């Protein structure tokens, strides 16, 4: 009797399962069908304007700093260009808005800029309280100190009683306060509003040390030419500083565009695709490459972009490694390398 009841139960369950599959079939088909991209007020405004308005610091070597011809250079600048290339197929369609650390969040919140690439560290409160989201981490960094060799210090632990130049409006002040407190050390803060002002103050001996992200310090040191050897970046990193692009909350499609533009740079490097050889990949028979290049499928359409948007990004600015190599001087790539090379840069599949 027990076996007969069990057989009847199994039959009933199987029948319900089959019926469920039959009933669910059309619904499943509907959910897997390609849906039109969600509207994006930001994307619509950018297209109507004919240019991307990008917020940058504009005084940060290696990240955003005009060259001798007035052309904005750096990793942040290239991230902006990549987004413009994704939208317009033209990386030059960028309007630069230089924002100090105190101004950058207000500039994004108010709509003055469409996206922010301004040495911004992704933190919980910035995302939970300031109405912004971080689509990517394009640079893994850490706050450090730079000193003159003449100070005779080779570790941050030797800075007890030192004066420290730092920027207001960012995380530097709190980080230094917490580091010195944790190590039972004292210091005198010299708080300044602009990076260039802080660097000049340090060089003029208004402070014993200058603190900023290690990458920024390396760019600053390299910019000193023959005098670079007179400066030392101390080995300690007081924080983990994941630098990301920032967008306003409430526009998911725009968030997706900025996020996947970065992933395009990572994916290109992973597959050996550069700005120089990308056209040779148009003949690839690898379906993953063909989707990435826009040769088949409609990945671009899901973002409200042309299907060859990723091709346009890489053709214009190169892959992530190329962006690094032309902008970063004197810094080991380390965590910023691809995951296949021991780093943290990783991209989800383009499918």
């Amino acid at each position: 009797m027990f076996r007969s009841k069990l057989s009847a139960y199994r039959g009933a369950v199987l029948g319900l399962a089959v019926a469920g599959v039959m009933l669910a079939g059309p619904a499943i088909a509907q959910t897997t069908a390609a849906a039109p991209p969600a509207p994006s007020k930001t994307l619509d405004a950018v297209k109507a304007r004919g240019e991307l308005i990008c917020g940058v610091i504009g005084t940060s070597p290696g990240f955003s700093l005009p060259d001798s011809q007035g052309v904005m250079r750096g990793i942040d600048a290239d991230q902006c260009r990549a987004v413009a290339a994704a939208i317009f197929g033209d990386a030059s369609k960028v309007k630069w808005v230089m924002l100090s650390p105190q101004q950058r969040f207000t500039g994004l919140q108010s709509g003055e800029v469409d996206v922010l690439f301004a040495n911004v560290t992704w933190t919980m409160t910035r995302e939970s309280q300031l109405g912004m989201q971080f689509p990517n981490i394009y640079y893994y960094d850490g706050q450090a100190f730079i000193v003159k060799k003449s100070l005779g210090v080779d570790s941050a632990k030797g800075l007890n009683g030192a004066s420290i130049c730092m920027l207001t409006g960012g995380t530097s002040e709190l980080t230094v306060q917490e580091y010195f407190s944790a190590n039972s050390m004292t210091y005198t803060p010299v708080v300044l509003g602009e990076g260039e002002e802080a660097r000049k103050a340090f060089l003029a001996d208004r402070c014993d040390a200058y603190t900023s992200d290690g990458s920024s310090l390396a760019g600053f040191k390299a910019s000193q030419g023959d005098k670079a050897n007179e400066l030392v970046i101390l080995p300690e990193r007081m924080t983990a500083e994941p630098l990301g692009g920032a967008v306003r909350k409430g526009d998911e499609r725009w968030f997706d565009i900025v996020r996947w533009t970065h992933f395009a740079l990572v994916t290109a490097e992973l597959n050996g695709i550069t700005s120089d050889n990308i056209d040779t990949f148009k003949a690839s028979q690898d379906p993953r490459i063909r989707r990435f290049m826009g040769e088949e499928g409609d990945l671009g359409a899901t973002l409200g972009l042309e299907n060859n948007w990723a091709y346009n990004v890489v053709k214009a600015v190169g892959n992530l490694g190329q962006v690094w190599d032309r902008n970063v001087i004197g810094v080991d790539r380390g965590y910023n390398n691809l995951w296949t090379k021991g780093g943290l840069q990783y991209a989800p599949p383009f499918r």
Side-chain angles (χ1 to χ4, degrees):
M1 179 180 293
F2 176 76
R3 288 183 177 177
S4 63
K5 286 183 177 180
L6 180 60
S7 297
Y9 174 76
R10 286 174 173 169
V13 171
L14 179 61
L16 288 171
V18 171
V21 169
M22 293 176 66
L23 290 171
I28 292 173
Q30 289 174 7
T31 58
T32 57
S40 168
K41 292 182 179 179
T42 308
L43 178 61
D44 290 344
V46 170
K47 286 183 173 180
R49 188 191 308 125
E51 63 182 0
L52 173 75
I53 303 179
C54 192
V56 295
I57 294 294
T59 60
S60 183
F63 286 85
S64 59
L65 182 69
D67 64 16
S68 59
Q69 305 300 314
V71 178
M72 193 68 71
R73 301 294 185 189
I75 290 179
D76 286 358
D78 280 346
Q79 289 280 340
C80 296
R81 291 188 177 94
V83 175
I87 298 167
F88 298 110
D90 185 346
S92 70
K93 292 190 174 182
V94 180
K95 177 182 178 180
W96 307 102
V97 175
M98 295 171 60
L99 300 168
S100 70
Q102 306 98 299
Q103 298 169 330
R104 53 190 174 170
F105 302 138
T106 302
L108 180 64
Q109 293 163 338
S110 67
E112 181 183 359
V113 300
D114 303 311
V115 63
L116 197 63
F117 287 104
N119 295 80
V120 181
T121 299
W122 184 352
T123 70
M124 179 179 174
T125 54
R126 286 175 177 175
E127 194 161 71
S128 64
Q129 296 181 347
L130 298 185
M132 61 177 64
Q133 286 181 293
F134 293 82
N136 56 44
I137 299 174
Y138 62 91
Y139 199 107
Y140 293 88
D141 211 342
Q143 190 172 331
F145 294 102
I146 190 169
V147 299
K148 294 180 179 179
K149 279 186 179 179
S150 58
L151 190 65
V153 172
D154 59 8
S155 167
K157 301 293 178 61
L159 292 176
N160 189 26
S163 55
I164 313 293
C165 282
M166 64 189 76
L167 294 181
T168 188
T171 57
S172 293
E173 293 177 85
L174 179 60
T175 297
V176 172
Q177 177 185 334
E178 291 178 343
Y179 180 82
F180 275 76
S181 176
N183 288 283
S184 301
M185 296 161 54
T186 63
Y187 70 100
T188 300
V190 180
V191 182
L192 300 157
E194 301 284 350
E196 186 62 23
E197 183 183 9
R199 290 186 286 272
K200 286 181 178 178
F202 166 68
L203 292 174
D205 294 322
R206 286 181 56 193
C207 52
D208 299 307
Y210 167 46
T211 184
S212 186
D213 291 342
S215 55
S216 179
L217 297 180
F220 164 54
K221 179 180 176 181
S223 71
Q224 297 306 298
D226 294 339
K227 294 185 177 181
N229 290 331
E230 298 176 7
L231 305 178
V232 177
I233 299 175
L234 301 181
E236 291 86 356
R237 295 295 181 270
M238 294 177 283
T239 59
E241 299 286 343
L243 305 185
V247 298
R248 289 179 293 279
K249 283 186 175 180
D251 193 333
E252 294 182 0
R253 181 59 61 235
W254 183 245
F255 175 92
D256 290 344
I257 290 170
V258 177
R259 163 176 277 184
W260 283 91
T261 295
H262 171 71
F263 287 151
L265 301 176
V266 176
T267 298
E269 184 179 8
L270 185 62
N271 287 281
I273 304 173
T274 71
S275 56
D276 300 316
N277 68 15
I278 190 168
D279 287 320
T280 66
F281 284 83
K282 288 183 176 181
S284 173
Q285 296 305 304
D286 185 332
R288 298 169 302 170
I289 300 297
R290 293 185 64 78
R291 285 195 301 270
F292 178 79
M293 298 282 290
E295 294 296 311
E296 64 180 50
D298 59 356
L299 293 182
T302 68
L303 294 175
L305 303 176
E306 298 295 328
N307 280 331
N308 66 342
W309 68 276
Y311 165 87
N312 290 334
V313 168
V314 179
K315 185 70 174 179
V317 303
N319 62 36
L320 190 65
Q322 289 179 286
V323 171
W324 176 278
D325 289 343
R326 69 169 163 262
N327 292 305
V328 182
I329 301 173
V331 179
D332 182 77
R333 194 168 173 188
Y335 289 139
N336 292 291
N337 223 320
L338 297 177
W339 65 275
T340 53
K341 297 180 180 179
L344 297 176
Q345 290 295 348
Y346 187 97
F350 276 67
R351 64 169 182 258

